[in-house]
């Protein structure tokens, strides 16, 4: 059974600092990795996707993938109060299409002003 | 462009009742999904479809049924509702060859 593990938090980070979110996955053949942000009572929205080992940067967000360690992380630089949300790590055996996504339970991030 | 639309937004069912959660998308996406999210948990895949006429079970399909007669619509049927089906249900779609999943706004279902 595919599993995705995250620390549920809450993770409290001062405004302007770097927030570091981590995720491990069990299925070694997983190909695609995603970070979704979910505000309370809202639907998830995609903020980052990564497919190969290394770092991928998009604005204040950096996703990191290490397939040998089965580990994915998300760094949020210059954290803002609007970043306070639950961050869901998701994994797919393919491109996120044909087989759907396996989600972790999410990490609740709180940015303290 | 409405994206993924789910109806209803909220529903209370009595044990043993049945209902259909509606999902429609206007983006011509082939792939569609139903997830459920219990409090403090991630999303779990119920059923998915890679195109009209094709459906398959996900991780937690028991107690649910789906159909996909058109590209746009992917309804989820609950027969004999049980308290364990109290959850928030999300419909999502993906364009073939793409990776970004677009989610509907969710349906909050309570079974009492």
């Amino acid at each position: 059974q595919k599993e995705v593990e995250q620390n549920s938090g809450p993770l409290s980070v001062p405004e302007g600092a770097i927030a570091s979110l981590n995720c491990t996955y069990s299925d070694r053949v997983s190909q695609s990795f995603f970070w979704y942000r979910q505000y309370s009572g809202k639907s998830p929205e995609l903020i980052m996707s990564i497919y190969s080992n290394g770092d991928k940067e998009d604005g204040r967000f950096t996703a990191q993938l290490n397939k040998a360690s089965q580990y994915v992380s998300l760094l949020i630089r210059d954290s803002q109060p609007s970043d306070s949300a639950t961050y869901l790590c998701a994994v797919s055996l393919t491109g996120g299409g044909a087989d759907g996504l396996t989600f972790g339970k999410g990490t609740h991030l709180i940015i303290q002003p | 462009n409405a994206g993924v639309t789910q109806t209803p937004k909220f529903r209370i069912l009595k044990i043993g009742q049945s209902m259909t959660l509606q999902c429609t998308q206007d983006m011509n996406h082939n792939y569609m999904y139903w997830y459920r999210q219990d409090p403090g948990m991630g999303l779990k895949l119920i059923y998915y479809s890679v195109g009209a006429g094709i459906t398959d079970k996900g991780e937690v399909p028991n107690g649910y049924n789906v159909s996909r007669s058109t590209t746009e619509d992917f309804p989820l049927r609950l027969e004999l509702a049980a308290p364990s089906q109290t959850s928030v249900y999300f419909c999502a779609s993906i364009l073939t060859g793409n990776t970004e999943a677009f989610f509907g706004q969710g349906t909050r279902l309570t079974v009492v």
Side-chain angles (χ1 to χ4, degrees), chain B residues 19-98:
Chain B
M19 76 165 293
T20 299
L21 281 67
Q22 301 291 345
C23 175
T24 187
Q25 52 90 10
D26 61 359
M27 299 174 284
N28 203 31
H29 289 179
N30 278 335
Y31 296 158
M32 295 188 74
Y33 312 83
W34 276 105
Y35 293 92
R36 60 175 287 174
Q37 185 175 33
D38 298 331
M41 304 292 283
L43 284 74
K44 292 191 181 294
L45 183 63
I46 305 171
Y47 270 96
Y48 65 98
S49 169
V50 298
I54 306 169
T55 63
D56 210 342
K57 295 178 180 179
E59 184 182 359
V60 290
N62 291 343
Y64 307 94
N65 277 300
V66 294
S67 60
R68 184 94 183 270
S69 57
T70 66
T71 298
E72 295 77 19
D73 299 307
F74 190 41
L76 178 71
R77 178 80 176 167
L78 279 72
E79 305 281 3
L80 298 176
S84 60
Q85 293 177 305
T86 293
S87 191
V88 179
Y89 291 83
F90 288 102
C91 179
S93 70
I94 296 178
L95 179 65
T96 308
N98 208 326

